[in-house]
Amino acid sequence: MSAGSLLGWVRTCSQALTEVETRIKEGLRKAGVIHQDETDVCVRKHHSYVHVCSTSRLTHFGSHPSRGRSALNDIGILAGFDGTSIHDGYKISPSYRCKNRELSEHHARNNTVFLS
């Protein structure tokens, strides 16, 4: 199997799942509570971030070269969200209109600790 064939299949699948991704994003924007996080990745010496937004039933992963507002705007979930966003306290999140709750997940992995 060639790398070109694999890349073609990934592109085909990605295009076929566009409607599914749109519906997942709509579901997340309508949810009462979402959980958000991001992590950096390096592929072939190119730095990027994987942004995750989830509920107990929906999960969206978005890749973007930025960690900040441009990524969140391009991914398109948080800007239209009115519920409660639970996150690690990254400073960009409070600038949106949703309610923000910081979950100290990075410090207490299995405890639900909310900070204001």
Side-chain angles (χ1 to χ4, degrees):
M1 174 182 335
S2 72
S5 294
L6 185 58
L7 181 60
W9 294 333
V10 168
R11 285 185 180 146
T12 299
C13 290
S14 175
Q15 291 169 353
L17 293 172
T18 300
E19 184 179 333
V20 172
E21 181 183 22
T22 298
R23 292 176 62 194
I24 289 170
K25 287 180 178 184
E26 288 171 0
L28 290 167
R29 282 191 295 270
K30 292 177 183 177
V33 177
I34 59 173
H35 300 268
Q36 297 177 264
D37 201 5
E38 78 290 325
T39 191
D40 58 323
V41 294
C42 187
V43 177
R44 294 187 179 178
K45 299 182 183 179
H46 295 286
H47 192 250
S48 189
Y49 292 89
V50 174
H51 297 261
V52 64
C53 182
S54 66
T55 66
S56 62
R57 298 188 63 167
L58 299 170
T59 300
H60 180 271
F61 293 94
S63 178
H64 199 277
S66 169
R67 183 178 181 208
R69 179 178 280 282
S70 64
L72 297 175
N73 288 343
D74 288 349
I75 291 168
I77 297 169
L78 194 56
F81 178 67
D82 289 323
T84 300
S85 169
I86 299 174
H87 52 83
D88 62 2
Y90 180 54
K91 299 300 180 202
I92 199 74
S93 296
S95 64
Y96 290 94
R97 66 181 182 208
C98 60
K99 298 172 206 74
N100 287 278
R101 295 288 184 259
E102 295 178 23
L103 176 61
S104 185
E105 189 66 23
H106 296 283
H107 306 291
R109 286 282 173 203
N110 294 314
N111 297 324
T112 304
V113 179
F114 292 97
L115 307 171
S116 295

